[in-house]
Amino acid sequence: MLAAMALFVAVCVAIIVTRGRVDSDVLNLLPQRFDSVRALKVYDREFTQAREITFALWDEAHATDLDGFAEYFGDALRKEPWVVRVMDRSPMDAPEGTRELQTLAIPLLLDQSAPAFAQTLQKLAPEAIAKRFAMKRTEMEAGSPKAEMELNLDPLGIVAPALTPFSASFSAENTRPLAAADGTLRVVIAVSTQTSLDAETCRATLAKVDDFKARVRAGWKSGPAPEILVTGRTAYVGELSDGMKHDVLATILGSVLLVSGVFYVGFRRVRPLLAILLVLLLCCLGAVAAGALLFSKLNVVTMGLCSILVGLGVDFGMLLYGTYQTQRNCGLDHPAATTASVGQLGRGILFGASTTAAAFVSLLLSESPGFAQLGVLIGIGILIAAALMMTLFFVFTGSTHKPGGQDLIFTATQSYLDRLFRAPKPIVYGALGLLVLLTAFAAAPVGNVRFDVNPQSLEPPNSHAGFALRKIKEKLAKGKAEPVLAIIQGRDAADFHAQWSAFQTQCLAAKERGEIANISTPAAFAFSPQRLEENLARLHAFDAAASRTALKEALDANGFDAAPFQSAFDLLDAFANLGRGDRAALDWRRTLPENSSWRFVIDRFLSNAPNIGAAYITPNQTIGAPAEQKALRRALDTPGAAPLFTGWSYVMADLVPWSQTKLVELSIAMVLFNIALLVFMYRAVAPLAVLMLSLGLSIGAMIAGLKITGLPLNLFNVLSFPLVLGVGVDYGIYVILAVRQRDRARHAMASIVKPVMLSGLTTIAGFGSLGWANHPALSSLGLVCALGVACCLFSTLFFILPAYLWKGYR
């Protein structure tokens, strides 16, 4: 047995080391069947914004020169080796902004309609170029600043018309404002060099960010430095990964300490406690190894499985040892006491493990990948725990072990049993009255169970990244509705162009009707392949060399220095190359420098993958309900376009009804499973009815407890209800098996009540230890489950047990 255990440990450790990966993406907790969730994942995965780090320079007291610090900060950030590009000002204000914009205009020029492109070529004719520069020279000599500005921004007079669709679709200030109106916050955005968004890479990048923050604050000599807040995907993942380490250690350590404390207080023995912990370690290893084999990554919620397994798996050891202790105190030796313990409780443990495993495996129906993982792995772990506790536990305990005698807890439980056997009726009525009163309070319109639908409920408390994001929204988007993203994926470039053209027309019409407040789309860069080909064909006959010569002669004739007009020469050279079949100038991702601020604007709308784009729709009010979703989709319904709408508030409007529906569906499924299993086991209606009534009243008391404590429900801890139904039924199973011992019922009850009470406390401790987790989905799940199990334990000891004894169920 020991050799088999050593082999099992070695295999599990090898699997975990070689295949164990952690997924810190909170989006993987969400059900994947909703278009809004899938679209949010596409946006998160395919768009460069996932690698952006957003800095918020915050000075609420106006104690520093925020504009000066922002310029100093941006210049210092550009020098960092881990930074690709920085946007700390409008792209037009960047040193190379105008020239890069003219480069960006080339594909826009080729995407013009046939008449518009014909006018462009006419403006590039040698005589037109000569005439334009002569006219601008005359206007400048007459004192016109506009003429000089036009020559600087658009020397050939063709860029501005080409940029009209771009300016209509994109608005850097509307989609990415960089300064608060009250002057207390400036935003600086950077793209890092990191190629992966895994936890280790994000932590490494975040360490560089922290080091940079310290250096840049120390280097600022013009007064106090403002607060530097950081947010973005990298910051969130870095925080979550560090939080997961804390969660794993804190919850496991807390669970082990609480469970050990309960066991030791109950039995005052160390060897069986160590044997139980060793078995639980094997169960956790087996469950985590199974997860590494079954799933490519273990989600953040799955990190709580070990503490839950410790709290649940110890029940079997507690029950077996309590019965074993009673048998030894009655004079049986180790083999006989072991046989008697397994014989008395083996069936109940198998049934109890089945109901608990079924409760957790039912999370597969939740459609949440993270909770489905948690359910499957705990289900596996519980079954492993049941098997190992009935075998290895007694091997580890050893034949020379001497169990303790009677103690205060045992004496108290015996006194309670004596009273139950004498007069169970008053206890039944008292417990039933209290449970009914709590259930009535739960159903009454007094107080309320708070349901937290704020996306903040999905992030760790005291999250620095979350605080930074909320501060940016507060300062830059105060009073504005949260935007809704519309993502369109085209089959090819032609389909991408057709869908965006139709959708932008529909959106502009909806804006005119007042159905939405604003819209920014990538339609300008959804190029028409047909127009591109037609205009490229026209360029074959265009004499770019003659135009280039005319430009040089016009500059010389009018006394202009040629250097400031290099962008005009570059544009003509690009047209010449396009006419010869070189299409490199049409790919803005290749022609636009990697450090260009314009990439921040375009990458916001166009993904890294081809033919995927996102629009930003500002509704009249933040979408928060399914009816508002339907109204928006109806207003933007576009024949020939299939946008997927998303955004955090938009997603929440899908998830709130989902969570409430899953609460009902999974609870019903668990109740039906319990009934089927208990019918097979009880083969009698009355005790089954008592147990199911007890479960129902326990859930009512649990809801009352939520009202009294103010513990909120959220999208995920509603899944605790089916878990409580699966775990809470176990105690009734152990009780009925003891009651059915007929002539030995009193002896069986004497050996089972104390372990049932202690196992309930350890389960509460196991779930309650999750309250120390940073991740709210995990901590709130543990606290709600602990409350529910406490209600079930009370109901078992003070309602089910005396009711069974009173009515004499066998």
Side-chain angles (χ1 to χ4, degrees):
M1 291 291 286
L2 293 176
M5 182 198 72
L7 178 61
F8 176 80
V9 170
V11 171
C12 289
V13 170
I15 292 172
I16 294 170
V17 170
T18 57
R19 294 180 59 89
R21 300 291 183 273
V22 175
D23 180 10
S24 57
D25 190 352
V26 70
L27 296 182
N28 287 337
L29 294 178
L30 307 180
Q32 306 298 299
R33 69 180 175 89
F34 293 107
D35 288 342
S36 58
V37 174
R38 291 199 298 272
L40 198 59
K41 291 194 69 172
V42 169
Y43 184 72
D44 193 61
R45 182 179 64 248
E46 300 292 352
F47 287 74
T48 302
Q49 59 88 28
R51 291 193 295 119
E52 289 181 359
I53 302 171
T54 301
F55 297 89
L57 313 179
W58 179 37
D59 176 27
E60 195 69 35
H62 298 276
T64 190
D65 176 12
L66 198 57
D67 291 338
F69 185 86
E71 183 176 355
Y72 157 75
F73 184 89
D75 291 341
L77 190 58
R78 288 183 178 88
K79 298 175 184 177
E80 292 296 302
W82 49 272
V83 173
V84 177
R85 55 183 171 272
V86 174
M87 184 166 75
D88 57 345
R89 67 201 77 174
S90 169
M92 286 296 295
D93 296 333
E96 296 294 325
T98 301
R99 183 171 179 177
E100 291 166 355
L101 183 60
Q102 292 170 344
T103 301
L104 197 61
I106 293 175
L108 294 169
L109 286 166
L110 269 293
D111 193 51
Q112 289 178 315
S113 65
F117 191 68
Q119 290 182 2
T120 295
L121 294 182
Q122 289 175 7
K123 291 179 181 179
L124 295 180
E127 59 275 12
I129 293 175
K131 182 178 178 181
R132 175 177 174 79
F133 277 87
M135 181 178 64
K136 295 302 176 184
R137 165 54 69 186
T138 302
E139 293 174 357
M140 290 171 63
E141 290 175 348
S144 171
K146 180 181 178 182
E148 184 176 0
M149 184 182 301
E150 288 180 352
L151 280 182
N152 288 334
L153 296 178
D154 187 9
L156 298 174
I158 63 172
V159 172
L163 292 177
T164 300
F166 175 76
S167 59
S169 295
F170 294 85
S171 173
E173 287 304 311
N174 285 338
T175 58
R176 288 200 157 187
L178 298 176
D182 62 2
T184 60
L185 186 137
R186 286 287 302 268
V187 171
V188 178
I189 307 171
V191 171
S192 68
T193 56
Q194 65 184 90
T195 57
S196 170
L197 291 173
D198 60 52
E200 184 177 349
T201 305
C202 288
R203 283 199 305 271
T205 301
L206 205 56
K208 296 174 183 176
V209 169
D210 290 338
D211 175 67
F212 169 74
K213 285 169 55 180
R215 286 187 285 108
V216 80
R217 286 175 63 89
W220 175 247
K221 304 301 182 183
S222 302
E227 289 291 321
I228 304 175
L229 310 178
V230 182
T231 189
R233 172 71 178 274
T234 297
Y236 270 110
V237 173
E239 280 188 356
L240 283 173
S241 61
D242 286 337
M244 281 191 289
K245 290 181 178 179
H246 167 273
D247 289 353
V248 172
L249 294 176
T251 57
I252 292 178
L253 183 61
S255 182
V256 168
L257 290 177
L258 288 173
V259 165
S260 300
V262 171
F263 184 93
Y264 188 78
V265 168
F267 295 104
R268 301 298 181 93
R269 285 295 181 270
V270 174
R271 185 186 294 182
L273 173 59
L274 295 177
I276 286 177
L277 293 179
L278 187 55
V279 171
L280 292 176
L281 174 61
L282 296 177
C283 297
C284 291
L285 278 174
V288 175
L293 286 175
L294 294 174
F295 306 103
S296 58
K297 291 183 178 180
L298 296 182
N299 202 282
V300 58
V301 176
T302 309
M303 295 298 100
L305 76 90
C306 290
S307 55
I308 296 175
L309 273 179
V310 168
L312 293 173
V314 73
D315 291 3
F316 308 137
M318 195 94 69
L319 291 163
L320 286 167
Y321 185 74
T323 306
Y324 169 84
Q325 184 186 58
T326 302
Q327 303 295 344
R328 289 296 301 272
N329 290 333
C330 290
L332 297 182
D333 60 8
H334 175 74
T338 300
T339 302
S341 300
V342 176
Q344 179 179 332
L345 291 175
R347 187 180 177 209
I349 287 175
L350 291 177
F351 278 118
S354 299
T355 57
T356 303
F360 280 94
V361 172
S362 72
L363 294 180
L364 281 171
L365 304 177
S366 71
E367 300 173 336
S368 166
F371 280 93
Q373 278 188 20
L374 179 69
V376 169
L377 299 189
I378 290 183
I380 293 172
I382 287 296
L383 296 176
I384 294 174
L388 295 185
M389 284 298 180
M390 290 190 290
T391 52
L392 280 180
F393 168 65
F394 289 110
V395 173
F396 295 150
T397 302
S399 59
T400 61
H401 170 67
K402 295 180 180 180
Q406 296 184 0
D407 52 44
L408 290 177
I409 297 178
F410 182 82
T411 303
T413 57
Q414 296 313 298
S415 298
Y416 175 61
L417 280 174
D418 290 339
R419 183 172 180 181
L420 284 184
F421 276 98
R422 288 195 311 268
K425 185 176 177 180
I427 298 176
V428 171
Y429 282 148
L432 181 61
L434 178 60
L435 290 171
V436 169
L437 184 64
L438 288 173
T439 302
F441 174 70
V446 179
N448 64 293
V449 177
R450 189 159 58 92
F451 199 97
D452 193 350
V453 298
N454 191 325
Q456 186 179 344
S457 66
L458 301 178
E459 70 181 32
N462 305 318
S463 166
H464 297 298
F467 176 79
L469 181 61
R470 289 190 293 278
K471 183 59 65 176
I472 291 172
K473 287 183 176 180
E474 173 192 333
K475 292 294 184 179
L476 302 186
K478 189 174 183 179
K480 295 181 181 179
E482 183 175 320
V484 173
L485 276 70
I487 295 180
I488 290 179
Q489 303 183 62
R491 295 185 301 274
D492 50 35
D495 181 59
F496 188 64
H497 165 75
Q499 289 199 58
W500 275 117
S501 297
F503 185 66
Q504 175 163 272
T505 301
Q506 181 67 24
C507 289
L508 294 175
K511 181 180 177 181
E512 289 293 325
R513 296 192 298 267
E515 294 172 322
I516 60 174
N518 202 1
I519 176 70
S520 295
T521 80
F525 275 81
F527 301 129
S528 166
Q530 181 180 353
R531 283 204 300 258
L532 288 176
E533 293 301 327
E534 292 173 352
N535 291 332
L536 284 171
R538 293 186 180 95
L539 275 183
H540 292 321
F542 173 67
D543 190 351
S547 297
R548 201 179 197 285
T549 301
L551 174 59
K552 187 176 186 311
E553 291 174 351
L555 293 173
D556 292 339
N558 293 282
F560 291 110
D561 182 9
F565 299 95
Q566 184 58 44
S567 61
F569 288 103
D570 292 342
L571 191 150
L572 291 172
D573 291 342
F575 269 33
N577 292 332
L578 288 168
R580 290 192 293 267
D582 182 358
R583 302 191 176 200
L586 294 179
D587 187 355
W588 65 267
R589 294 188 185 277
R590 292 172 58 187
T591 58
L592 200 61
E594 277 293 325
N595 62 355
S596 171
S597 296
W598 287 110
R599 285 184 175 269
F600 284 98
V601 180
I602 301 175
D603 283 343
R604 189 77 167 169
F605 296 87
L606 296 179
S607 78
N608 299 316
N611 305 319
I612 302 178
Y616 294 81
I617 302 160
T618 305
N620 294 321
Q621 61 183 14
T622 298
I623 302 297
E628 295 167 353
Q629 282 184 327
K630 292 179 182 177
L632 180 68
R633 288 198 298 265
R634 185 167 54 249
L636 302 182
D637 183 37
T638 307
L644 297 177
F645 298 99
T646 190
W648 272 114
S649 293
Y650 191 94
V651 168
M652 287 295 174
D654 279 330
L655 295 186
V656 171
W658 162 80
S659 63
Q660 295 168 345
T661 301
K662 286 301 171 184
L663 165 63
V664 175
E665 290 179 355
L666 294 180
S667 297
I668 291 175
M670 202 60 235
V671 167
L672 294 177
F673 178 83
N674 283 344
I675 291 174
L677 187 66
L678 294 173
V679 164
F680 172 77
M681 182 177 148
Y682 282 14
R683 295 183 177 88
V685 174
L688 174 60
V690 170
L691 181 52
M692 297 312 295
L693 174 62
S694 171
L695 278 179
L697 293 175
S698 298
I699 293 297
M702 174 183 171
I703 295 173
L706 293 175
K707 281 187 174 183
I708 294 169
T709 61
L711 186 65
L713 292 178
N714 57 40
L715 294 173
F716 298 114
N717 65 17
V718 296
L719 300 176
S720 61
F721 285 80
L723 300 184
V724 169
L725 289 171
V727 174
V729 76
D730 294 354
Y731 309 124
I733 291 176
Y734 302 137
V735 166
I736 192 63
L737 289 175
V739 171
R740 285 185 166 183
Q741 295 292 314
R742 298 188 179 275
D743 296 337
R744 302 181 67 252
R746 190 179 184 90
H747 176 78
M749 293 301 299
S751 65
I752 200 69
V753 172
K754 174 184 170 182
V756 165
M757 181 188 71
L758 293 177
S759 66
L761 292 177
T762 56
T763 300
I764 294 170
F767 278 120
S769 67
L770 295 180
W772 285 313
N774 279 320
H775 200 286
L778 193 58
S779 62
S780 62
L781 177 72
L783 293 176
V784 175
C785 283
L787 176 62
V789 172
C791 294
C792 291
L793 180 62
F794 171 85
S795 180
T796 299
L797 295 176
F798 297 101
F799 176 62
I800 296 178
L801 176 57
Y804 282 178
L805 293 177
W806 176 26
K807 294 299 182 180
Y809 295 132
R810 293 291 186 268

